Amino acid sequence: MPMNVDIETSWKAALKDEFNSAYFRDLKSFLKQERASHTLYPAGQNIFSAFNKTPINEVKVVILGQDPYHGANQANGLCFSVNPGVKIPPSLKNIYKELNTDIGMNIPGSGDLSTWAEQGVLLLNSVLTVRAHEAASHKNKGWEKFTDAVIRGISNQTKDVIFILWGNYAKKKGQHIDTTKHHIITSAHPSPLSAHNGFLGSKPFSKTNSILNSLNKQPIEWDSVL
């Protein structure tokens, strides 16, 4: 990652120990080598987009993904989200289908979920970078350790955050969440391979807003995507 990539102030403070750790230095060296010979996604300035759009004290909901889309122009640093004008990927199509049946939302033309992030939905991938056209190519290089620390930081420093964990990979991250302070919603993953086994019909969006209403917090306007 370019050394000039910055991260929002509250996250910089919360993750200071991670940025100063040996594993994170190794991760930066790995990414520097990768960039010398491969195209990586998302673009360097978008690696920390999820954090820059949603400061830690504004996090109301966390949606957890795996790694960024690996096709050209797709990844924008927010899990499940793509840049405006890019074809909507299959998992996001199923997320939109569920939004339609769950809350009656019209299917958007855009796959850019920035408006969710701006309302306090941290759209966090477990791995924040990927080599072009090679899914999971940056797995086990240090990002998972970093995002475990992110989840622990949210769990320790905040209260009543709703974690939406889709699929077994995301559910394993749940071990870092204090369930006495926070709320967890789980189901199958929205991927076409598993969506019909428990994602479609799981109503995570209305459940989330019901919890937010019970906490006297502003519900998420899921239909803000254009």
Side-chain angles (χ1 to χ4, degrees), residues 142-181:
W143 280 128
E144 293 92 344
K145 204 168 182 177
F146 178 75
T147 51
D148 283 351
V150 170
I151 293 168
R152 281 195 303 272
I154 296 167
S155 182
N156 294 339
Q157 295 183 34
T158 67
K159 191 172 184 293
D160 284 322
V161 169
I162 302 158
F163 291 84
I164 300 177
L165 308 179
W166 290 327
N168 291 332
Y169 186 89
K171 287 173 193 171
K172 282 177 190 164
K173 289 275 199 189
Q175 66 185 301
H176 303 293
I177 302 163
D178 181 347
T179 54
T180 66
K181 291 170 63 185

Side-chain angles (χ1 to χ4, degrees), residues 7-117:
I7 190 168
E8 188 273 333
T9 315
S10 67
W11 284 111
K12 187 180 278 186
L15 299 168
K16 182 179 62 179
D17 290 347
E18 306 310 308
F19 292 129
N20 291 329
S21 68
Y23 86 82
F24 201 85
R25 282 196 296 276
D26 291 344
L27 173 60
K28 285 204 291 192
S29 297
F30 165 74
L31 291 173
K32 192 174 178 183
Q33 290 169 353
E34 281 283 279
R35 280 197 187 281
S37 51
H38 301 282
T39 299
L40 305 187
Y41 298 125
Q45 70 270 22
N46 292 333
I47 291 172
F48 294 117
S49 280
F51 303 90
N52 293 335
K53 289 181 185 294
T54 316
I56 190 167
N57 58 322
E58 292 176 21
V59 175
K60 298 200 287 194
V61 180
V62 178
I63 296 179
L64 197 62
Q66 291 191 23
D67 63 342
Y69 296 119
H70 52 82
N73 301 317
Q74 287 184 301
N76 63 9
L78 309 177
C79 74
F80 296 106
S81 175
V82 290
N83 285 315
V86 174
K87 185 179 174 188
I88 295 170
S91 290
L92 186 53
K93 275 187 182 172
N94 283 330
I95 290 170
Y96 284 171
K97 274 185 196 169
E98 179 59 19
L99 276 158
N100 177 254
T101 56
D102 184 7
I103 63 167
M105 171 176 147
N106 291 328
I107 305 287
S110 168
D112 180 11
L113 305 179
S114 296
T115 56
W116 293 359

